[in-house]
Structures are given as C-alpha cells and as structure tokens.
Amino acid sequence: MTYRLWREEPGALEWRREVDAADELRGPGVPVEELPGFVEGRLMVGRAWRLLDDPSVPRALTEPRTGLRSALRLLPQSGPDQLCYEERWRSRRRYGGESLVCSRPTCGRCLPLKAALERGSAVA
C-alpha cells in the first residue's frame, strides 16, 4: 500500500472547501479572549515580561524562557492547527462520522468551538 497525504485522497479537497464554508457560516464560537488558555497564557507572558525587566536577578533568563514555553502550550493559534484538517478528515473513516473539532491542544479553529460546546452554545 502506498501512503498518500490526506489532501491527495479522493474527495479531500472538496470536503475541505465544504467545512471551510460551514465554518464561515457558523462563526468562531467563543471569543478567543474568553478562552482559559488565552487568559492563563497571557498571564504567563506578562510574568515573563516582568522577569525580563531586571536581567541582573538570579535565573533572570531561565524563568522567563520556561514561562514563555509554557504559555505557548496554552495560547491558541490564530487559525487551524497544521494537523486539524487531517485529523478531522481521517476521523471520518476511522470513526464513521464527521468530527466537528480536532484534538490539537492549541488549534485556533477548534478551541473556541469546544468552549462553545461546553457552554451549551449552539455550534453545529
């Protein structure tokens, strides 16, 4: 069996156009500034910024670097994660149905939708 990229599979590009159009109609879900990852990540970045203000204190660069790395694991991306479309496309065959959201922890498309679903907002 030859491995193909998901985009090369029959119907994949048409499916992507359809889900992009549906996303456009549905809207983003919960505003990004209300997402817990955004709020917590922003606080971490602020703390790192304050620590960088005085580079003479012990561990002045280590703690901010660690904080920024942690913040990047929480802050949503500005758009879909690189693997969002692929995961949702492949889930159709694997699980026998359309997956509205991916499991990527910082996907800028899916995090607001997940938050809306958790709040009970109409998303589908």
Side-chain angles (χ1 to χ4, degrees):
M1 182 174 136
T2 307
Y3 180 77
R4 291 191 288 198
L5 297 174
W6 75 273
R7 294 181 302 266
E8 296 170 345
E9 294 180 12
L13 294 179
E14 294 81 6
W15 170 82
R16 181 172 175 168
R17 281 193 287 275
E18 289 173 13
V19 296
D20 284 344
D23 286 349
E24 195 69 33
L25 288 174
R26 180 181 28 258
V30 172
V32 172
E33 60 272 6
E34 294 179 20
L35 295 174
F38 178 83
V39 173
E40 191 176 343
R42 193 169 146 195
L43 292 172
M44 289 176 159
V45 169
R47 184 177 184 320
W49 184 258
R50 286 188 301 280
L51 288 169
L52 286 171
D53 214 20
D54 185 7
S56 66
V57 298
R59 300 179 47 91
L61 299 178
T62 304
E63 287 185 43
R65 288 173 55 89
T66 302
L68 290 173
R69 278 192 214 102
S70 297
L72 288 174
R73 283 189 223 108
L74 296 172
L75 286 169
Q77 298 174 41
S78 59
D81 184 271
Q82 274 186 312
L83 299 175
C84 176
Y85 288 107
E86 179 176 5
E87 183 179 318
R88 292 187 299 133
W89 169 257
R90 296 205 186 280
S91 75
R92 300 171 76 216
R93 186 176 329 135
R94 198 172 294 140
Y95 303 115
E98 187 78 29
S99 178
L100 178 63
V101 294
C102 73
S103 64
R104 310 303 296 171
T106 59
C107 181
R109 177 209 174 265
C110 296
L111 283 178
L113 295 175
K114 288 177 191 176
L117 288 169
E118 288 172 4
R119 289 183 181 182
S121 305
V123 174

